[in-house]
Amino acid sequence: MGRVRCFARFIDELENLQGSHTFTIHTDAGLIVPEIEEDGQVKVDMGQPILSGLEIPTKILATENNLVVKSIHCRRQSCLS
């Protein structure tokens, strides 16, 4: 959703909108309604989280315990994602 917040901020600045307001963004995931607050913060309702590994949209296969685990290397350190 970080991209949606950035896009919302871009539209807010492009249109020079003032105050607290919302608008609708059409995405492949459906309609998203970011809220621009008075202080410029952007809130987005991200919906219910997907917690089952089999339901997470990824090309990484889930384990037999329905977990999605992939080892990656970050700057010479091992990380889990």
Side-chain angles (χ1 to χ4, degrees), residues 14 23 33 38-39 46 59 65 71 73 79:
L14 181 70
F23 49 90
V33 182
E38 289 285 338
D39 63 1
M46 297 174 61
K59 293 182 180 179
N65 296 327
S71 178
H73 295 281
C79 306

Side-chain angles (χ1 to χ4, degrees), residues 68-79:
V68 176
V69 179
K70 178 72 176 174
S71 178
I72 60 173
H73 295 281
C74 312
R75 298 183 190 174
R76 299 186 195 127
Q77 296 177 6
S78 180
C79 306

Side-chain angles (χ1 to χ4, degrees), residues 5 7 15 18 26 34 53 62 72:
R5 280 191 280 273
F7 182 69
E15 298 293 325
Q18 303 295 316
H26 298 258
I72 60 173

Side-chain angles (χ1 to χ4, degrees), residues 16-79:
N16 196 26
L17 301 172
Q18 303 295 316
S20 179
H21 51 277
T22 63
F23 49 90
T24 303
I25 299 174
H26 298 258
T27 72
D28 289 340
L31 299 178
I32 298 176
V33 182
E35 179 182 344
I36 311 292
E37 297 182 332
E38 289 285 338
D39 63 1
Q41 294 290 315
V42 180
K43 290 181 14 180
V44 178
D45 180 356
M46 297 174 61
Q48 293 293 322
I50 299 172
L51 301 176
S52 170
L54 296 175
E55 295 175 16
I56 297 172
T58 181
K59 293 182 180 179
I60 301 170
L61 298 176
T63 68
E64 62 189 40
N65 296 327
N66 293 332
L67 302 174
V68 176
V69 179
K70 178 72 176 174
S71 178
I72 60 173
H73 295 281
C74 312
R75 298 183 190 174
R76 299 186 195 127
Q77 296 177 6
S78 180
C79 306

Side-chain angles (χ1 to χ4, degrees), residues 1-16:
M1 286 297 159
R3 293 179 189 161
V4 170
R5 280 191 280 273
C6 289
F7 182 69
R9 166 71 81 195
F10 171 76
I11 296 299
D12 180 60
E13 291 178 9
L14 181 70
E15 298 293 325
N16 196 26

